Amino acid sequence: MPDWNKEQKEFYTLIVDIARKLNDENLYNDDHGLFSLKKWKLLCDSGLIPYSIEEKYGGLEKDFLSLLFLLEGLGYGCEDAGLNFSFCTQIISAQLPIHKYGTEWQKTHYLPAIGTGETITAHAITEPDSGSDAFNMNTTAYKMGDRYILKGSKTFITNGPVADIFIIYAITDKQKKALGGISAFIVEKESKGLVIGKPLEKMGLRTSPTCELFFNNCEIPRQNLIGKEGAGFKIFNYVMKREILCNLAINIGEMRKLLEATITYAKSRIQFGKPISKHQAISHHIADMKIKLEAAKALIYKAGLLLNNKKPCSMEIAIAKVTTTENYVNMSETALQIFGGYGYMKEYQIEKYLRNSVASKIYSGSSEMQRNIIANLLGL
């Protein structure tokens, strides 16, 4: 595990303190699927969004590994997993591709407002018929004069209902398909021909707004192409590796909070004349929760260290994704079982952990897709 320095630890404590201030009305917002702009602004004031971005664009120019550490603190302090998820999308979706591959105009025009949270962002690749086969898309973009025209639709777009700009991946060359045939574009919400669908109701992460997008001959300036035509796969691969690890770091913080809540309950709940923590069946379940947490944590930071040092890490990220998300679901089920009937009640928020954790096995590449990656890298 990394040995964090004083500055990193102090920033971590600051993030946890800010995150704890976001827990008011958590149950109400989750029940009604409400995205709180007030909480969003408070969280954005932490300065965490542009943490790894260059100073000239409003960033702090810090390393990616310590960003994971701080996001772990966010997950630990903030009980609103939907807000955590939307915030991670803000850090990753538009900021990273623009900062890494964008033109100087795109960087100076968009990055400062993204970094403060004034501009809310989303990225869109998934389509109704593609699912895990993300690059089997139908959305197209073609040049017409000084602009591109987009046709098609996207679905399951995190932050979609509240976003000001979207990073859209579309086909620009049907012959080349994924490698060289897909490009990335910046699309502003006021763009002619863009239709933002109604918010979608979800099982978990309910405070993170999600919707469909429709491109009815949507017109955008040619200057909104990110990088070169055909660079979409390269851009998406760069973003996705970091998106996975950032979300997993938040999950680790949430899992740690869940473990602590379970220990506290087990010590205070009396059954058969003693705390249930003294019953071996319960204590072993809790010990297994701790094992799952530490295993996931080690894998995440191992992958993060490799990525931070620009070393190959596709295998490590896939292993971390499968292990962490499946352990998260298992820990949530175990906690609910230990809490018993109370865990099934909304008031105790344990059932919410389970609802939220299930999504982690699906988004950013399902467990099945991660196992495909692992198998392929093993030469199978």
Side-chain angles (χ1 to χ4, degrees):
M1 293 294 295
D3 185 16
W4 308 114
N5 60 39
K6 181 179 178 182
E7 179 186 1
Q8 290 166 327
K9 290 178 180 178
E10 289 177 348
F11 205 156
Y12 178 93
T13 300
L14 173 64
I15 294 299
V16 172
D17 289 342
I18 291 174
R20 285 172 173 160
K21 297 176 182 178
L22 306 173
N23 294 330
D24 293 342
E25 301 179 340
N26 176 34
L27 287 175
Y28 180 88
N29 289 346
D30 181 76
D31 192 41
H32 292 81
L34 298 178
F35 173 80
S36 172
L37 192 57
K38 178 181 178 181
K39 292 184 179 182
W40 174 264
K41 290 179 179 178
L42 179 62
L43 184 52
C44 291
D45 287 344
S46 68
L48 189 53
I49 297 173
Y51 186 78
S52 299
I53 303 302
E54 293 174 78
E55 287 185 13
K56 65 179 178 178
Y57 304 121
L60 300 178
E61 293 193 37
K62 302 297 183 179
D63 66 292
F64 180 75
L65 191 66
S66 56
L67 173 62
L68 297 182
F69 179 53
L70 300 179
L71 289 174
E72 180 187 334
L74 171 63
Y76 178 70
C78 180
E79 297 171 0
D80 187 341
L83 181 61
N84 292 342
F85 190 63
S86 280
F87 188 71
C88 185
T89 296
Q90 178 76 5
I91 292 174
I92 299 298
S93 64
Q95 182 173 240
L96 287 189
I98 292 174
H99 183 252
K100 176 68 174 179
Y101 297 100
T103 63
E104 187 61 27
W105 178 84
Q106 290 171 349
K107 293 176 183 179
T108 56
H109 185 71
Y110 290 109
L111 289 180
I114 291 174
T116 62
E118 180 182 352
T119 293
I120 301 177
T121 65
H123 61 169
I125 188 168
T126 303
E127 298 187 0
D129 295 328
S130 63
S132 294
D133 189 9
F135 290 101
N136 181 26
M137 63 178 64
N138 294 310
T139 299
T140 60
Y142 65 91
K143 293 177 186 175
M144 189 175 74
D146 62 350
R147 63 193 62 192
Y148 279 92
I149 307 299
L150 275 66
K151 294 183 179 181
S153 65
K154 302 290 184 179
T155 193
F156 308 140
I157 309 307
T158 300
N159 290 353
V162 296
D164 300 294
I165 67 170
F166 304 85
I167 304 302
I168 307 299
Y169 294 84
I171 298 171
T172 47
D173 188 332
K174 292 183 179 180
Q175 300 302 317
K176 293 181 180 179
K177 298 183 179 180
L179 295 177
I182 294 174
S183 303
F185 302 89
I186 302 169
V187 179
E188 299 184 7
K189 69 177 180 180
E190 299 87 0
S191 299
K192 181 181 178 181
L194 171 62
V195 177
I196 300 174
K198 295 181 180 179
L200 301 172
E201 289 286 339
K202 303 193 299 293
M203 170 183 170
L205 302 175
R206 290 176 51 79
T207 57
S208 176
T210 307
C211 71
E212 293 180 293
L213 300 176
F214 304 93
F215 308 100
N216 301 330
N217 293 319
C218 177
E219 300 181 13
I220 60 171
R222 288 183 66 175
Q223 66 184 6
N224 283 23
L225 170 70
I226 302 177
K228 300 178 181 179
E229 269 198 20
F233 181 87
K234 180 179 180 180
I235 294 170
F236 183 76
N237 187 53
Y238 175 85
V239 172
M240 188 53 58
K241 287 180 179 179
R242 288 153 181 81
E243 176 182 288
I244 289 172
L245 288 177
C246 285
N247 275 313
L248 293 182
I250 291 174
N251 290 160
I252 284 295
E254 294 168 347
M255 291 159 71
R256 177 183 160 202
K257 186 76 172 181
L258 175 62
L259 174 61
E260 291 181 357
T262 305
I263 292 172
T264 298
Y265 179 80
K267 287 182 175 180
S268 62
R269 176 66 166 164
I270 307 297
Q271 292 281 274
F272 305 103
K274 58 183 178 181
I276 62 173
S277 61
K278 297 300 181 181
H279 295 282
Q280 192 175 71
I282 301 298
S283 64
H284 281 191
H285 277 314
I286 295 176
D288 284 340
M289 291 175 69
K290 175 64 172 177
I291 292 169
K292 288 179 170 60
L293 170 62
E294 294 302 323
K297 193 172 184 178
L299 289 169
I300 290 168
Y301 284 113
K302 176 184 178 181
L305 182 60
L306 290 171
L307 185 64
N308 200 59
N309 292 333
K310 299 180 180 180
K311 294 182 179 180
C313 55
S314 295
M315 172 80 81
E316 287 76 9
I317 290 176
I319 292 173
K321 176 70 160 62
V322 171
T323 303
T324 303
T325 59
E326 295 188 359
N327 284 2
Y328 192 8
V329 172
N330 185 273
M331 284 179 64
S332 299
E333 291 175 333
T334 299
L336 197 151
Q337 191 71 22
I338 291 172
F339 274 76
Y342 293 108
Y344 203 66
M345 301 296 110
K346 285 188 175 182
E347 178 185 356
Y348 281 74
Q349 302 195 49
I350 302 303
E351 58 85 29
K352 182 161 63 71
Y353 277 100
L354 181 56
R355 287 189 287 108
N356 292 333
S357 66
V358 168
S360 68
K361 294 172 59 179
I362 301 171
Y363 61 69
S364 300
S366 67
S367 293
E368 290 76 15
M369 293 303 297
Q370 302 305 323
R371 286 184 167 88
N372 282 345
I373 292 172
I374 296 167
N376 288 337
L377 291 172
L378 290 173
L380 302 177

